[in-house]
Amino acid sequence: MKVMISLLLPVLLAQGDLVPSSTLSPPQSETEAGPSTPKTLVPQNQPPQEEEEEEARLVAGGFELSRATSNLGFDLLRKMTARHEGNLMFSPLGLSFAMGTLMLGTSGPTHAQILSGLGLQTLSRTQPLPELFGHLRKTLTHTRELGLSQGSWAFIHKDFDVTETFRNLSKRYFDTECVPVNFRNASQARGLMNHYISKETQGKIPKLFDKINPDTKLILMDYILFRGKWQTPFNPAFTEVDTFHLDKYRAVKVPLMFASGTFASSFDVNLRCHVLKLPYRGNATMLVVLMQRLGDYLALEDYLTTDLVEAWLQNMKTRKMEVFFPKFKLDQKYEMHHLLKQMGIQRIFSPWADLSELSPTPRNLKVSEVLQRTVVEVDEQGTEAAAGTLTEITAYSMPPIIKVDRPFHFLIYEETTRLLLFLGRVVDPTRL
């Protein structure tokens, strides 16, 4: 059984010399950056009618949160392309959950800037975001057949004071477990955290931390473990080594899996790409996007949006097909803080970060980095992972046989909420 894992680690450091110099611009006022979102709690023990209305509100808000998370993923993919030419894979959901946990500790302009960068400022005016995150997490993890689990840890330095509000809210909405750590003993702290990671990812990531800054006060870590089984498995007896074309001049040999069955597909006439649904059990799907012409796959990324994906899905036709799809494994690690800064989330990484909701003594606290590591392995049984305007779409142009033998994109999403769990690009299946 293969595993898809996403790990995010916002690292908060307490440093002695974080006072801004006089040459730097003064911090923005709360009025300029916008008010922070009130962390409203919903009253418990409501009457049945109010509970139904509350559930309907959370479901509607969940769709908006899902849409914002997916568009965040597409925006990040475009920014990643400027830095990475080869294989890419990350979890928009994992990043959204990690930043959602982090937002519980922020206030003022710092909080408002994160909302804006994540595209959640409008939703936050009408809905309490922590509740939406919590409801979405429960929806995903309570579907046993989906095979998705999510968890969060807060590794806290033994003498670092964290507010009870942050502890309670992070536990309630993100199921965050607080673990005391002595970061001054870096070797012991590293061993403890690697033990937690290895255990929760079932050994798929046995070691994540190579070194720890002894000035660290808190490490927040979110993980997502996805074990999806195909509705129509590929028969291992039919897997054969074949040619995968990297470009017009280069090719590699890869094992291509084969399945014959009923699949949904469409063809985007404007973008000249085939779109194929490979469904998992439990309301999850891998959407494979294959450009008609070799070498055009990078151009697709400029157009990816939730509206485009929805148009593809609404115009699909189910038919009998034969599918050839490569086995592959990816192990990707990214410094997300660089990308978040490009999206306008800068204050949290600066000396002016306001983390007053996290600690009663927030002076000299800032976030040093946000890392994400995602591992995916796709085989015959499934995927298990430890993290322009369209004018014409037709469902009839895809050939009865589709052979994914050139670079392609894949999206793994949950059907009910349309939440984008993982997003990736495979340029060379023989490389991690």
Side-chain angles (χ1 to χ4, degrees), residues 199-272:
K199 180 181 177 181
E200 293 301 328
T201 62
Q202 300 176 8
K204 297 297 180 180
I205 300 181
K207 180 182 178 182
L208 185 63
F209 295 96
D210 293 320
K211 54 186 178 180
I212 300 294
N213 188 324
D215 290 328
T216 299
K217 293 302 182 184
L218 172 71
I219 290 181
L220 295 176
M221 184 174 71
D222 286 68
Y223 75 89
I224 296 174
L225 178 63
F226 175 60
R227 290 173 288 187
K229 295 183 178 180
W230 303 121
Q231 279 189 8
T232 304
F234 294 84
N235 190 335
F238 296 137
T239 299
E240 294 184 354
V241 175
D242 208 333
T243 301
F244 187 95
H245 301 276
L246 305 179
D247 52 38
K248 292 181 179 180
Y249 310 103
R250 297 179 301 150
V252 294
K253 294 294 184 179
V254 300
L256 280 185
M257 305 180 294
F258 171 80
S260 178
T262 301
F263 297 94
S265 62
S266 62
F267 183 78
D268 188 321
V269 175
N270 282 4
L271 296 178
R272 309 302 298 174

Side-chain angles (χ1 to χ4, degrees), residues 152-429:
S152 175
W153 296 296
F155 295 101
I156 306 169
H157 186 59
K158 62 178 184 178
D159 62 1
F160 183 61
D161 193 7
V162 175
T163 66
E164 282 301 311
T165 299
F166 180 83
R167 290 176 183 267
N168 293 337
L169 293 181
S170 62
K171 178 63 178 178
R172 178 176 179 180
Y173 296 118
F174 297 93
D175 197 27
T176 302
E177 178 184 353
C178 293
V179 181
V181 176
N182 181 8
F183 286 113
R184 292 294 181 184
N185 188 336
S187 176
Q188 183 185 69
R190 182 176 66 249
L192 176 65
M193 291 187 291
N194 281 334
H195 170 74
Y196 271 83
I197 294 164
S198 179
K199 180 181 177 181
E200 293 301 328
T201 62
Q202 300 176 8
K204 297 297 180 180
I205 300 181
K207 180 182 178 182
L208 185 63
F209 295 96
D210 293 320
K211 54 186 178 180
I212 300 294
N213 188 324
D215 290 328
T216 299
K217 293 302 182 184
L218 172 71
I219 290 181
L220 295 176
M221 184 174 71
D222 286 68
Y223 75 89
I224 296 174
L225 178 63
F226 175 60
R227 290 173 288 187
K229 295 183 178 180
W230 303 121
Q231 279 189 8
T232 304
F234 294 84
N235 190 335
F238 296 137
T239 299
E240 294 184 354
V241 175
D242 208 333
T243 301
F244 187 95
H245 301 276
L246 305 179
D247 52 38
K248 292 181 179 180
Y249 310 103
R250 297 179 301 150
V252 294
K253 294 294 184 179
V254 300
L256 280 185
M257 305 180 294
F258 171 80
S260 178
T262 301
F263 297 94
S265 62
S266 62
F267 183 78
D268 188 321
V269 175
N270 282 4
L271 296 178
R272 309 302 298 174
C273 63
H274 302 288
V275 186
L276 171 69
K277 282 182 70 173
L278 296 177
Y280 300 102
R281 301 175 191 172
N283 279 337
T285 292
M286 175 183 282
L287 206 62
V288 180
V289 187
L290 183 68
M291 300 301 288
Q292 188 174 45
R293 290 184 8 176
L294 181 65
D296 284 355
Y297 62 93
L298 290 177
L300 171 71
E301 295 170 1
D302 290 334
Y303 300 95
L304 283 174
T305 63
T306 53
D307 289 337
L308 174 61
V309 173
E310 195 61 35
W312 286 340
L313 295 174
Q314 290 179 359
N315 287 276
M316 284 194 163
K317 177 71 174 180
T318 301
R319 62 192 297 190
K320 180 77 172 179
M321 295 180 62
E322 294 182 349
V323 174
F324 295 84
F325 192 62
K327 293 175 67 172
F328 64 92
K329 180 178 180 178
L330 301 180
D331 186 343
Q332 303 278 302
K333 184 177 180 179
Y334 304 106
E335 295 181 339
M336 289 291 187
H337 45 283
H338 295 308
L339 301 173
L340 292 171
K341 289 177 182 178
Q342 292 180 35
M343 301 179 73
I345 303 176
Q346 299 176 349
R347 197 180 188 95
I348 191 73
F349 304 106
S350 78
W352 299 296
D354 184 345
L355 292 160
S356 55
E357 298 292 326
L358 172 68
S359 173
T361 55
R363 178 179 170 79
N364 293 344
L365 284 180
K366 71 172 183 178
V367 174
S368 64
E369 56 186 356
V370 178
L371 308 177
Q372 183 179 85
R373 181 172 179 179
T374 309
V375 178
V376 62
E377 190 168 358
V378 175
D379 68 1
E380 290 86 354
Q381 300 305 312
T383 305
E384 300 180 14
T389 302
L390 289 178
T391 57
E392 184 180 0
I393 298 177
T394 176
Y396 303 98
S397 297
M398 180 173 278
I401 298 177
I402 180 166
K403 193 171 186 179
V404 183
D405 60 355
R406 54 194 183 276
F408 63 94
H409 288 79
F410 67 90
L411 299 76
I412 298 178
Y413 64 93
E414 198 274 331
E415 288 273 9
T416 305
T417 61
R418 288 288 198 264
L419 182 61
L420 187 58
L421 307 178
F422 297 91
L423 174 61
R425 177 181 75 200
V426 179
V427 177
D428 184 349

